[in-house]
Amino acid sequence: MVPGAAARATDVGLALDLESAILRLPAAARAVFGPAHPQLTRTINNLAVVLKDKGDLPGATVSLERALRIEPKNPLLWLEMGRLRMDQRNYLQAENMGRKALSMSVGDDSTQSAAWRLIADSLRARDRNPEAEEAMDRARAL
């Protein structure tokens, strides 16, 4: 046996077990919390973040879309979907999701600031720098 091969095989096995457990999280959360409980949305969002970090952007998209079906008025989910769209280089959709989050977060300066930053990033990615700077000024003002 190659030195370290057993350790690498164990690491791969643990990674596969973790991935399998992560993919079962939404069903487990649904069983524990019920189909419309906010904890279910958080669990699905967490799954989306893990999938995105692993480079599985399609899987992250499916998870966030599921969370948005459960809680469509949650501006933080729209922000996360907008960040995912930025990672997918779909800058126009990212801006639209930032604007949607902005409209849903009236009175929440922190979320509004994050939405303006997302909008600024999407504008900057499309070389609309004067508009991006204006959006960043709005984010900083909050």
Side-chain angles (χ1 to χ4, degrees), residues 22-34:
I22 288 169
L23 293 175
R24 289 192 307 268
L25 277 175
R30 191 178 310 110
V32 172
F33 301 115

Side-chain angles (χ1 to χ4, degrees), residues 7 20 22 53 64 82 90 120:
S20 175
I22 288 169
D53 289 347
L64 279 173
N90 191 335

